[in-house]
Amino acid sequence: MVVERTFSIIKPDAVERNKIGEITAMLESSGLRIVASKRIKLDQDKAAAFYKVHADKPFFQSLCDFMCSGPIIVQVLEGENAIQKNREIMGATNPDEAAEGTIRKQFAISLEKNSIHGSDSPENAIIEINHFFNEKDIIS
Ligand code: IDP
Ligand code: MG
């Protein structure tokens, strides 16, 4: 099994409700290890660059506004199969469709305010990690 790294954001809706610890505990319980973490606030340019794959979607501006609306926690998670494992513990994008026991099922308040982001592929994990962290700041 390959040890991978993936990128995670605890989104503003969850930070605002003081859910950092509970969400982090679920990530750790799934076998993932947090190897870098910081609390930041996005600006519009950074949010738009991060979500540029969605630039032509009708929800793009609202998503960027939401992601800039308060502090977030950006993290690098490491473990076997980390990218897929993280997507599984996150649950479906729409909390109405998220499985029992997933982070989005438990914490998301809407399709937009769905509490957590996770990379969807090895290529995007590298790109997304590099948006926020230098290699020297990731300690396995
Ligand atoms: P993902 O976060 O599960 O990978 P994506 O399709 O990449 O889902 O969408 C990125 C984020 O954009 C979602 O997590 C959610 O916050 C928001 N989003 C996705 N689809 C919609 C929508 O139809 N309306 C409002 N917000 C959406
Ligand atoms: Mg996505």
Side-chain angles (χ1 to χ4, degrees):
M1 213 35 109
V2 191
V3 173
E4 291 176 330
R5 286 176 177 172
T6 191
F7 177 73
S8 166
I9 303 176
I10 303 178
K11 293 185 179 183
D13 66 287
V15 174
E16 208 266 327
R17 286 174 289 142
N18 219 16
K19 300 300 182 189
I20 299 166
E22 287 175 69
I23 290 174
T24 300
M26 289 174 77
L27 296 171
E28 290 182 335
S29 294
S30 80
L32 296 165
R33 185 173 292 273
I34 293 152
V35 293
S37 181
K38 60 186 173 187
R39 181 182 178 104
I40 62 167
K41 197 159 181 291
L42 291 180
D43 60 27
Q44 283 285 340
D45 286 351
K46 192 113 186 169
F50 182 75
Y51 276 121
K52 74 171 192 286
V53 62
H54 295 306
D56 56 359
K57 306 273 174 58
F59 59 81
F60 177 69
Q61 190 55 53
S62 177
L63 175 62
C64 290
D65 290 347
F66 162 56
M67 291 301 291
C68 295
S69 68
I72 61 174
I73 306 298
V74 291
Q75 309 200 104
V76 180
L77 312 179
E78 189 176 83
E80 285 180 5
N81 246 333
I83 295 160
Q84 192 194 329
K85 192 176 275 182
N86 184 42
R87 294 290 302 194
E88 283 169 10
I89 188 68
M90 285 165 57
T93 308
N94 185 341
D96 292 341
E97 294 161 12
E100 288 297 335
T102 62
I103 291 168
R104 282 167 165 170
K105 178 71 177 182
Q106 188 165 338
F107 296 107
I109 50 186
S110 70
L111 173 55
E112 180 180 77
K113 295 178 175 58
N114 61 1
S115 299
I116 188 156
H117 166 87
S119 308
D120 62 7
S121 68
E123 301 72 34
N124 285 337
I126 291 166
I127 292 167
E128 291 176 359
I129 288 168
N130 288 337
H131 268 270
F132 295 98
F133 293 98
N134 298 313
E135 186 60 35
K136 70 175 175 48
D137 298 321
I138 306 170
I139 317 284
S140 293

